[in-house]
Structure formats: C-alpha cells, structure tokens
Amino acid sequence: MFLLYGKRSLIIKRYTDHTHACPHCRGLNLDVKVEKFYYHLFYIPFFPSSEKFAHIQCGNCGKPYKDPVREEGYYIELEDEYEKRTKNPIYLYSGLIIVASLILFMVYVNLETQKQKAKYIANPLTGDTYLIRAERNDSTLYYFLRVVNISGDSVYTRHSNFEYRRYPADMDPSDFFVTEEELVYTKGELKKMLEDGEINAVDREHSQK
Ligand SMILES: [Zn+2]
C-alpha cells in the first residue's frame, strides 16, 4: 500500500508586537509568525513534532528582528516567549482524532450488536435465525438454526441442511431448513450458547420477510 507521510510545517499563529523596538528602524511594529512542525499522513496532520519557531520581522522596515551584531540571547528570549505562549492547535491532532473516533465508533457498534443479540435470544420469536459455530474434529463449521416454535421455556428449532466451512454471510440459495429433525433448547441454553460464542449471529428482520 502506498503511504504518503512525513513532516510539514505551517504558521499556527500571528501576532503584532508593539512593545519591542526594531533594532534597525526603532519602530514599534513587529510581525510575529509562529511556525509549527507536524507529522502528516496523506497531508492530514496526525500529531505535532517538538519543533516550534517564532519568526519575527519588522512591520515597518521589513528586516528580520534578529540582529547578529547584537547580543544573541536577548532575541532568542523574545522568540522563546512567543514560542511558549503559542499552544498547539487541536487540528494538528486531526489524524489521531479521526483514528480514535473510528475505533470508538466500531466498539460502540459492536456493543450495540451484542446487546441486540442478547435481547433477541432472551425473547425468541418464531422465524428468528441463528448462525451457529461448532467445533467438530478439530475444525470449525457453521450452520443455521431457525426457530419454528416456542412453548414455555422450550425453543424448537430446525437446522440448515448445509454445514459451512467458512463463516457464511447468508444462507446458500440451495440450502434449506430440515423439517424431519427438531432441536430443542431452553432459553437458558441459548443464552449460554450466545455467551460462549456458539451463536454468532441472530437475524430477525431478515427472517420475517
Ligand atoms: Zn524596522
């Protein structure tokens, strides 16, 4: 997969400083730009790097504030001050926020699906279809169960004619529920099967068509 990533920078803040004089023209009108570097993936900022630089230029004469003839420490101090007071904007974390949101969303959807399944299993209806995962001879296979009758605590089901080697998203068009044999479960047994992961999916709307 082609990944476009790396480091870029942008100006995250601009200030006008009227309290420090330009060393060249003595004007009190400095333009301050704060540049921040960040890591990006496909140009989406993921998170900021540690580099932050204040660039100070005179708004009157246009010369850079930094004067190499003068004492270096003083100028760095003013840059430092602007670098420190400029916080990282939240959009520099966009990528992280997107990824975290997606993960949270998937966790939420999964929890909702689990809750829905538990609800259906606790109150079975005729026509409900369960996808069952079973282990047989060290291999995993799948089949479907359809609820055909409920009597008190007993849930009567019929199994599909086919057994599937791979997780089936749906029943094969040529598959059908075998009428000769009915499997009976208590609601407690079904609950346990769901908790143990034997019941993989519970389909209600689909089976009511
Ligand atoms: Zn100037």
Side-chain angles (χ1 to χ4, degrees):
M1 190 187 155
F2 172 69
L3 279 183
L4 185 62
Y5 63 96
K7 204 152 65 167
R8 289 165 70 86
S9 78
L10 54 80
I11 302 299
I12 55 170
K13 192 92 182 181
R14 287 165 199 271
Y15 301 93
T16 308
D17 184 310
H18 298 298
T19 56
H20 296 83
C22 167
H24 312 283
C25 73
R26 311 310 303 167
L28 288 168
N29 185 25
L30 299 175
D31 289 329
V32 184
K33 287 183 206 160
V34 181
E35 181 186 24
K36 180 72 193 174
F37 282 79
Y38 59 91
Y39 296 99
H40 74 88
L41 185 65
F42 294 107
Y43 301 117
I44 299 169
F46 252 75
F47 50 88
S49 82
S50 57
E51 299 130 292
K52 191 191 280 172
F53 303 104
H55 304 284
I56 308 174
Q57 195 179 17
C58 177
N60 295 345
C61 72
K63 287 184 180 158
Y65 182 70
K66 209 173 213 167
D67 185 346
V69 181
R70 290 206 162 205
E71 209 238 307
E72 194 72 3
Y74 173 73
Y75 304 105
I76 290 172
E77 207 173 272
L78 185 59
E79 288 177 355
D80 231 37
E81 200 186 301
Y82 277 107
E83 285 162 12
K84 275 193 190 123
R85 69 188 261 193
T86 310
K87 301 273 168 263
N88 292 334
I90 192 111
Y91 60 76
L92 290 183
Y93 298 91
S94 301
L96 271 189
I97 293 168
I98 291 169
V99 169
S101 308
L102 274 178
I103 291 171
L104 278 179
F105 178 72
M106 285 189 294
V107 166
Y108 170 78
V109 167
N110 194 34
L111 277 176
E112 284 302 301
T113 310
Q114 285 299 334
K115 262 201 272 179
Q116 184 71 279
K117 275 192 231 170
K119 224 168 90 187
Y120 286 166
I121 291 292
N123 304 286
L125 285 183
T126 302
D128 283 356
T129 307
Y130 306 148
L131 174 61
I132 307 294
R133 182 175 62 198
E135 303 293 332
R136 202 172 297 160
N137 303 328
D138 285 339
S139 63
T140 304
L141 55 90
Y142 298 89
Y143 59 91
F144 292 91
L145 282 183
R146 172 155 290 179
V147 177
V148 290
N149 191 22
I150 300 145
S151 172
D153 195 44
S154 300
V155 181
Y156 294 80
T157 67
R158 287 177 188 161
H159 63 82
S160 57
N161 188 44
F162 287 5
E163 288 179 341
Y164 301 79
R165 295 267 153 223
R166 285 193 197 142
Y167 185 95
D170 223 328
M171 264 179 90
D172 191 278
S174 56
D175 196 4
F176 57 90
F177 291 102
V178 176
T179 52
E180 289 79 23
E181 188 183 15
E182 283 188 357
L183 304 168
V184 192
Y185 301 93
T186 65
K187 288 178 185 173
E189 282 170 339
L190 290 176
K191 185 169 179 273
K192 176 120 191 4
M193 284 164 74
L194 180 69
E195 285 164 0
D196 292 348
E198 276 179 68
I199 296 179
N200 271 225
V202 181
D203 197 357
R204 177 158 292 178
E205 287 136 295
H206 193 247
S207 52
Q208 283 183 331
K209 274 178 195 165

